[in-house]
Amino acid sequence: MEVLKVSAQSNPKSVAGALAAVFRQYGKAEVQAVGAGAVNQAVKAIAIARGFIAPNGIDLVMIPAFTEININGEERTAIKFIVEPR
């Protein structure tokens, strides 16, 4: 499964489209964000993606969790959102 990485400058509608495409292909998706701005954009993108997927009769839910990622050799804590159907 592809992991979508979101930054504070990410366009939520673009991320939502990518999220919907990954969800349609794999049946679930994972979104990662580091920092408050990135988490904000990720949550907005997931809300928009729910609207894209809802006409198919699928209700998306997200499960937040912490994860450790490596950025330029430095360990950082990120928030990952696992997006699944309900």
Side-chain angles (χ1 to χ4, degrees), residues 12-63:
K13 196 162 186 177
S14 298
V15 175
L19 177 59
V22 169
F23 180 81
R24 286 185 180 113
Q25 184 175 1
Y26 297 104
K28 67 183 214 176
E30 184 176 316
V31 179
Q32 281 185 355
V34 177
V39 169
N40 181 47
Q41 297 301 80
V43 170
K44 286 194 277 188
I46 293 167
I48 294 167
R50 286 188 75 208
F52 291 166
I53 299 290
N56 299 332
I58 300 168
D59 186 21
L60 292 184
V61 295
M62 70 175 177
I63 303 164

